[in-house]
Amino acid sequence: MAVEHNIRSNFVFAPPEDNPGAWQASLETFKDALERAFPDPFLDMNTSSLRDAPVLDFEIEVAPEVFVTGTAAMPAPDYAHISLVDVTADEAALFAQWLRDSFVPSPVSVRFLSSFVMENGDETPWPLPATGDAAAIEAVMRDHLAAAGAE
């Protein structure tokens, strides 16, 4: 009997700790990339109430009838992170594959962390696989969740 994987979490994506400027990104370049890659994205520039910094809230359709909602913060060349809210590992993996393959300049420049792991006191990000399709990324994300006892 197949086990359904429907654990929902928040996932954060960021550049490598030893090279925080690796993405060479801004909110404008991220917004432009979303507009080119996804049909009819919802994009809204705001100011974060937590850090009083500009952010881009977004909702995109990463696959037919599969929507993800998130927030991107890139207030300085050496600081960037993108958060997805209330997603399954397979939904997050679809976004992560696009991020790795189409937005960041190097496939080894993405690390991620989930709210489940952080809630257990571990704030050590995992590297996103540099190769592989969304299924391969999903497998790593499931391992990450399992490490926190979520899967």
Side-chain angles (χ1 to χ4, degrees), residues 26 33 36 40 56 65 76 92 105 126 130 133 148:
S26 69
R36 283 191 308 275
D40 302 318
L56 176 68
E65 300 298 317
W126 287 34
D133 61 7

Side-chain angles (χ1 to χ4, degrees), residues 121-138:
D122 185 354
E123 295 189 12
T124 306
W126 287 34
L128 199 67
T131 60
D133 61 7
I137 295 170
E138 179 185 351

Side-chain angles (χ1 to χ4, degrees), residues 12-46:
V12 176
F13 301 93
E17 186 174 12
D18 64 346
N19 188 5
W23 290 1
Q24 303 168 6
S26 69
L27 287 181
E28 284 303 317
T29 60
F30 185 67
K31 180 178 176 269
D32 291 346
L34 290 174
E35 289 175 328
R36 283 191 308 275
F38 301 100
D40 302 318
F42 168 80
L43 306 169
D44 188 27
M45 296 290 265
N46 285 307

